[in-house]
Amino acid sequence: MQIAPSVLSADFARLAEQSAAVANADWLHVDVMDNHFVPNLTIGLPVVEALHSASSLPLDCHLMIEDPDRWAPAYAEAGASSVTFHVEAARAPVRLARQLRRMDARAGMALKPATPIEPFEDLLGELDLVLVMTVEPGFGGQEFLDVVLPKLRRARQLIDKHGGEVWLQVDGGVSLATVERCVAAGADVLVAGSAVFGAADPAAAVTALRAAATAAAG
Ligand code: DX5
Ligand code: ZN
């Protein structure tokens, strides 16, 4: 089980400190939003570059942007260890995933809550990570959408059938209240924003999420 705190809920004026505060996590999840693919604007390449220098954690960039075919490789170049694009926005997802892997980044494909996994089954061999959104992308602190759980289970089945090492990441509304549902459905990477950076002690929140996830995984 891996825990990826999302800096979307961190204090943007103190990103280096906030990243150091969750040094016990596995990844730092960075939500890039362009105000077109989603109705919110967050951070882009210069901040990812700065975080790459300042943070000891590998960066997991979640691109909620139009035209990832054009922009995603630059995030690998900027130092992201993992680059996830939304398949709804990608024009050539196979070409893009291959390009990211050639740049030594993990290639991730993200699905909005209403996007099915089945049409993309054959892409699994091109991917290192599938991100299933359990809120509509754009904002932190939203309520977990249980309606997505059956898709999470189907994604787990397809990944197991396919074999190979593809991580199944769940993003949106992940907290101690929902972690068990996520793990039972097959997630092995948990993204959590408000549950970590909204807590008085972010490192303790990471530890608690990890313990709950490990217990749920049995
Ligand atoms: C939402 C982002 C999430 C967000 C999750 O569009 O992709 O990563 O930070 O925040 P919480 O955990 O508060 O739902
Ligand atoms: Zn995210």
Side-chain angles (χ1 to χ4, degrees):
M1 296 303 315
Q2 303 187 69
I3 311 292
S6 165
V7 291
L8 184 61
S9 298
D11 179 349
F12 277 12
R14 299 188 301 121
L15 279 180
E17 280 165 61
Q18 297 267 275
S19 150
V22 292
N24 58 333
D26 300 281
W27 295 86
L28 197 65
H29 184 86
V30 182
D31 288 306
V32 174
M33 304 187 189
D34 67 351
N35 204 27
H36 292 276
F37 183 72
V38 289
N40 194 7
L41 183 67
T42 55
I43 60 186
L45 275 173
V47 177
V48 169
E49 279 168 15
L51 264 175
H52 177 57
S53 317
S55 173
S56 60
L57 289 171
L59 303 183
D60 172 39
C61 283
H62 175 193
L63 306 182
M64 286 159 276
I65 61 173
E66 296 289 359
D67 206 1
D69 304 70
R70 176 175 175 193
W71 297 109
Y75 286 84
E77 182 81 37
S81 299
S82 171
V83 180
T84 298
F85 57 85
H86 268 269
V87 74
E88 302 89 349
R91 274 183 291 218
V94 172
R95 184 175 62 202
L96 179 53
R98 289 185 180 182
Q99 195 176 351
L100 293 169
R101 282 177 151 186
R102 271 201 308 276
M103 300 175 78
D104 288 326
R106 295 183 68 90
M109 173 182 80
L111 306 169
K112 290 164 72 170
T115 305
I117 177 78
E118 287 81 358
F120 308 107
E121 178 179 357
D122 291 342
L123 268 58
L124 288 173
E126 307 288 340
L127 299 166
D128 302 296
L129 182 159
V130 171
L131 184 163
V132 172
M133 293 236 46
T134 39
V135 297
E136 291 293 351
F139 302 93
Q142 300 182 77
E143 196 185 337
F144 184 85
L145 295 174
D146 279 287
V147 71
V148 181
L149 284 172
K151 176 170 69 182
L152 200 54
R153 281 193 288 272
R154 288 195 298 274
R156 168 49 62 201
Q157 286 163 1
L158 293 178
I159 288 170
D160 287 349
K161 182 173 112 191
H162 161 77
E165 203 201 325
V166 182
W167 295 344
L168 182 55
Q169 190 176 70
V170 62
D171 184 8
V174 175
S175 69
L176 285 177
T178 53
V179 64
E180 199 178 322
R181 276 172 262 175
C182 296
V183 174
D188 50 17
V189 186
L190 305 174
V191 176
S194 46
V196 171
F197 288 108
D201 183 344
V206 168
T207 301
L209 280 171
R210 194 190 296 285
T214 308

